[in-house]
Amino acid sequence: MFDSPENDSISPALRALLELFATDLADVKFPDVDTAVLGESAAHVREKAEAVARAQAALDAARQALNESQESLLQKGQRALAYAKVFAEDDAELGAKLEAIHLPRPVRKAGGAQVEPVNAAPGNDDNAPRRRGRPPKLRPVANLFTDGSNGPDSAQDDAPASLQS
């Protein structure tokens, strides 16, 4: 799994040293260090790297499951809050308590209906839904290079003939 150089948990310099001990220095033995000892240590490092990769995959899966559970709870909580508000129409005290609870709004994404994460910062308008209706009319902006005394069409008069239509 980690034998390819780009995924290897052993640095390129150590890989080069291991390669030298496997080829040119295969018959050389130093105290406590030879080809076999280095090979064992490299195998041990790769085992630990694989264990880390498996643990990371399990952590990613657990986080995904947690996010899905939080989204499910939020959707149920939003529905429960809506029902409770209708139920509390005649009880002002309960209604005030319910109005004090502000759950995040669902966010529609291309893959279907999804909701904001529970820990999302309130007031983040990056994910706000687009405004409905017709866009506002754009007002003419004065040209920066004129004094604006000639009116909005004066910029056209000052433009070169090749740009005028």
Side-chain angles (χ1 to χ4, degrees):
M1 176 177 187
F2 287 93
D3 291 337
S4 64
E6 61 274 356
N7 292 344
D8 201 348
S9 56
I10 298 174
S11 71
L14 278 173
R15 280 196 313 268
L17 182 65
L18 291 170
E19 180 66 28
L20 275 177
F21 267 87
T23 56
D24 297 344
L25 300 174
D27 297 330
V28 177
K29 293 184 187 255
F30 295 108
D32 299 332
V33 179
D34 61 4
T35 303
V37 170
L38 290 173
E40 270 182 42
S41 293
H44 188 70
V45 167
R46 288 186 177 111
E47 272 179 35
K48 297 300 179 185
E50 288 177 12
V52 167
R54 285 190 301 271
Q56 183 67 44
L59 177 61
D60 292 344
R63 280 191 177 138
Q64 180 65 30
L66 172 62
N67 286 340
E68 290 170 2
S69 294
Q70 286 175 327
E71 288 176 12
S72 175
L73 174 61
L74 180 58
Q75 289 173 351
K76 290 174 184 173
Q78 288 169 337
R79 193 171 342 142
L81 182 60
Y83 284 137
K85 285 180 180 180
V86 171
F87 178 79
E89 284 181 350
D90 296 332
D91 186 347
E93 184 179 335
L94 180 58
K97 289 178 183 178
L98 292 169
E99 287 299 323
I101 298 173
H102 299 285
L103 297 177
R105 295 261 185 230
V107 176
R108 304 264 182 222
K109 293 193 179 178
Q114 294 189 4
V115 295
E116 291 179 11
V118 174
N119 56 1
N124 185 0
D125 292 338
D126 293 339
N127 294 330
R130 291 182 49 169
R131 290 182 55 185
R132 294 181 54 174
R134 187 174 178 175
K137 289 184 179 179
L138 297 176
R139 293 193 174 104
V141 178
N143 191 339
L144 296 176
F145 301 110
T146 63
D147 61 1
S149 61
N150 296 338
D153 293 328
S154 64
Q156 178 115 8
D157 296 339
D158 294 340
S162 63
L163 296 178
Q164 292 181 2
S165 51

